[in-house]
Amino acid sequence: MSDTKRRLAAVMFTDIVGYSKLMNYDESKAMKLLDEHDAISEKCFKEYNGRLIKKIGDADFVEFSSALDAVKCAINIQEVLRNRNASSENTFDELHIRIGIHVGDIIEKGDDIFGDGVNIASRIVSVAEKGEICISKEANASIQGQKEILSASIGSHNLKNIVDSWDLYRI
């Protein structure tokens, strides 16, 4: 374990809503939307000092050193997509994602990260609906005092394979 180290980080997962269904229906359309998604999100990750750990199909796994950077990045991505979707000719051309963010302890090994901080963030994303950002209580505590960012409790949730229930917030 000499090449591993622990630290605190903000972890974000994104997921394209309905992507598997679209892939089943129209692969070329799905791939086109994925390319567009990648261009939008990767530009934003760089702007907010995020590090793309890996792509997992239509999902992004990203690390930030600050919860505020992660949340601002998520807000920016959703705004860009809302503007993009407003000019779409039909709903079939729209691109919606959901985002989950958690601040927690991670284990860094090589170019990858592991641990509860990662596992919890990967489960929070499934609570978000299309176009939404869900964050943990820990991430929410880190952004308090940011008057331009509004969050609201959505209660306590049981996350798949995660011990205890988790208080979550929606941006």
Side-chain angles (χ1 to χ4, degrees):
M1 290 220 357
S2 61
D3 65 337
T4 63
K5 58 184 173 182
R6 286 188 173 277
R7 60 187 165 78
L8 198 61
V11 179
M12 171 195 287
F13 277 85
T14 71
D15 178 54
I16 299 176
V17 177
Y19 187 78
S20 297
K21 186 176 181 179
L22 177 60
M23 180 62 93
N24 189 16
Y25 181 74
D26 186 341
E27 284 182 349
S28 63
K29 174 67 138 184
M31 293 306 294
K32 180 179 178 260
L33 287 177
L34 181 61
D35 288 344
E36 193 173 348
H37 164 269
D38 291 349
I40 291 167
S41 60
E42 289 174 22
K43 178 182 178 195
C44 193
F45 299 154
K46 287 178 187 165
E47 184 178 336
Y48 289 93
N49 304 308
R51 179 171 73 108
L52 179 63
I53 302 299
K54 65 178 92 168
K55 298 195 65 49
I56 308 163
D58 64 310
D60 288 328
F61 170 22
V62 189
E63 175 201 0
F64 295 83
S65 59
S66 137
L68 183 57
D69 281 346
V71 170
K72 283 183 173 182
C73 179
I75 291 169
N76 185 273
I77 290 170
Q78 296 293 30
E79 285 176 357
V80 169
L81 290 176
R82 266 193 293 282
N83 291 335
R84 178 211 171 274
N85 291 338
S87 64
S88 292
E89 293 180 21
N90 60 59
T91 57
F92 189 64
D93 293 326
E94 291 181 3
L95 178 58
H96 298 279
I97 67 168
R98 53 189 177 182
I99 299 174
I101 300 170
H102 176 60
V103 172
D105 194 48
I106 62 162
I107 302 165
E108 185 174 22
K109 181 176 180 180
D111 291 335
D112 210 346
I113 59 175
F114 304 88
D116 279 345
V118 173
N119 297 338
I120 293 164
S122 75
R123 299 306 188 192
I124 290 172
V125 72
S126 65
V127 175
E129 300 292 329
K130 76 178 186 179
E132 290 185 343
I133 303 162
C134 283
I135 64 174
S136 65
K137 179 172 75 172
E138 292 76 6
N140 191 61
S142 296
I143 63 164
Q144 291 308 298
Q146 303 300 315
K147 302 296 183 215
E148 74 278 8
I149 301 174
L150 301 176
S151 64
S153 173
I154 57 170
S156 187
H157 292 261
N158 290 316
L159 305 174
K160 183 179 175 185
N161 296 326
I162 303 293
V163 176
D164 297 324
S165 60
W166 287 79
D167 295 330
L168 300 180
Y169 294 78
R170 187 164 286 132
I171 299 294

